């Protein structure tokens, strides 16, 4: 199943931790920006919850997203600061920004390196790309839900930290820091996990297939059905365009 982010936009924030998660993400991004950062491009800005907080921190922020439904919500939060654009083909000149953020994006793409390449292109000398890595692994918190879900088929991670570092290196970016933050409000309950399995949240578990139903049934047999398990811990990596700032 491939998610339609225009369709998901209406409930995206409610299902992904909303403002608490956005606050944690923005604080972590800000902590990786060099002193003197003024302009930032927030690619795959989604509904703009993180974008708004980066703007409130005093940065000159532009948000970009390829999903009109998501971007329309971002436009309400940061009016006049969003553009409909694919992160793999950005409509900006070379050396346009002091920083680029890409939060919860690379794991979705088979051609994630193109995002890194475009970020490197639009970064000024001395500027940084800040991106999440190892997104799927962040949700494996060692809970009983994870034990039940262990047999599920998995795609190879497109955003493994070592892969992203290799992409960055090929496009002239150097490692410049790391950070992490909690996905506040995202601790899964067995009931929620079972519903996600049945609705095709896990892309290799097709709704109605035998394994899908087996895993959902096992999740429904776990104790404390409505008690959230530990929250995910997301990882950030920063990569810098070497050279003195312009």
């Amino acid at each position: 199943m491939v998610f339609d982010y225009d369709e998901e936009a209406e409930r995206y924030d409610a299902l992904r931790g909303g403002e608490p998660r956005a606050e944690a993400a923005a604080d972590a991004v800000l902590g990786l920006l060099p002193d003197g950062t003024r302009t930032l491009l927030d690619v795959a800005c989604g509904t703009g919850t993180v974008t708004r907080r980066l703007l409130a921190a005093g940065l000159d922020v532009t948000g970009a997203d390829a999903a009109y439904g998501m971007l329309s919500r971002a436009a309400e939060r940061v009016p006049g600061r969003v553009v409909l654009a694919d992160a793999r083909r950005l409509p900006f000149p070379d050396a346009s920004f002091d920083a680029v953020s890409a939060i919860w994006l690379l794991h979705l793409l088979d051609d994630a390196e193109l995002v890194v390449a475009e970020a490197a292109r639009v970064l000024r000398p001395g500027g940084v790309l800040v991106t999440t890595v190892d997104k799927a692994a962040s949700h494996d918190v060692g809970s009983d839900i994870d034990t039940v879900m262990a047999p599920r088929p998995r795609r190879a991670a497109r955003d493994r930290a070592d892969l992203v570092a290799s992409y960055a290196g090929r496009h002239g970016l150097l490692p410049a820091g790391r950070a992490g933050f909690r996905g506040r409000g995202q601790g899964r309950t067995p009931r929620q996990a079972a519903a996600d399995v049945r609705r095709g949240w896990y892309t290799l578990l097709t709704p109605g297939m035998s394994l899908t139903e087996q895993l959902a049934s096992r999740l429904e047999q776990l104790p404390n059905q409505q008690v959230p398990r530990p929250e995910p811990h997301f990882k950030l990596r920063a990569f810098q365009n070497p050279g003195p700032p312009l």
Side-chain angles (χ1 to χ4, degrees), residues 13 18 52 67 80 156 158 161 175 184 213 238 245:
D13 292 331
R52 177 173 60 186
R158 294 106 149 187
R184 299 177 190 172
E213 187 54 37

Side-chain angles (χ1 to χ4, degrees), residues 34 92 170 192 199:
F92 304 107
R170 281 199 287 270
Q192 290 168 339
R199 74 186 181 99

Side-chain angles (χ1 to χ4, degrees), residues 6-7 25 27 79 93 99 118 126 136-138 148 150 156 172 175 185 192 204 220 225 228 244:
D6 286 316
E7 183 179 320
D27 287 348
E118 276 293 87
S138 298
V148 169
Q192 290 168 339
L204 297 183
E220 290 171 338
Q225 280 285 303

Side-chain angles (χ1 to χ4, degrees), residues 33-39 95-99 122-128 240-246:
L33 300 181
D35 292 341
T37 299
R38 298 179 304 277
T39 58
S96 296
F97 298 94
D98 297 327
V122 302
L123 276 175
R124 294 175 178 143
V128 297
Q240 189 167 41
N241 181 4
L246 294 175

Side-chain angles (χ1 to χ4, degrees), residues 8-9 60 86 88 95 165 176 228-229:
E8 283 282 302
D60 181 358
D86 188 325
R88 297 164 295 190
R229 275 36 174 187

Side-chain angles (χ1 to χ4, degrees), residues 31 60 62 83 128 165 181 223:
D60 181 358
T62 300
V83 59
V128 297
F181 62 95

Side-chain angles (χ1 to χ4, degrees), residues 16-185:
R16 307 301 203 292
E19 294 295 341
R21 186 179 80 150
E23 179 181 13
D27 287 348
V29 170
L30 291 167
L32 289 172
L33 300 181
D35 292 341
T37 299
R38 298 179 304 277
T39 58
L40 180 142
L41 174 64
D42 187 20
V43 298
C45 68
T47 61
T49 54
V50 176
T51 318
R52 177 173 60 186
R53 292 179 181 279
L54 297 173
L55 178 64
L59 297 172
D60 181 358
V61 180
T62 300
D65 203 285
Y68 181 81
M70 302 286 273
L71 201 68
S72 65
R73 285 160 175 77
E76 297 172 358
R77 292 184 164 115
V78 287
R81 290 184 171 271
V82 298
V83 59
L84 188 66
D86 188 325
R88 297 164 295 190
R89 295 182 296 276
L90 294 171
F92 304 107
D94 296 355
S96 296
F97 298 94
D98 297 327
V100 175
S101 57
I103 309 303
W104 304 302
L105 171 63
L106 300 186
H107 68 287
L108 298 171
L109 304 174
D110 289 327
D111 51 0
E113 184 170 356
L114 294 180
V115 175
V116 177
E118 276 293 87
R121 182 183 67 78
V122 302
L123 276 175
R124 294 175 178 143
V128 297
L129 163 66
V130 179
T131 182
T132 43
V133 296
D134 298 322
K135 169 69 162 55
S138 298
H139 287 275
D140 289 340
V141 295
S143 72
D144 51 355
I145 293 175
D146 296 321
T147 299
V148 169
M149 294 301 297
R152 71 181 176 90
R154 299 171 184 257
R155 294 187 187 279
R158 294 106 149 187
D159 68 335
R160 261 187 12 242
D162 61 327
L163 277 179
V164 175
S166 71
Y167 301 156
R170 281 199 287 270
H171 297 282
L173 303 181
L174 302 177
R178 59 182 64 193
F181 62 95
R182 289 285 176 192
R184 299 177 190 172

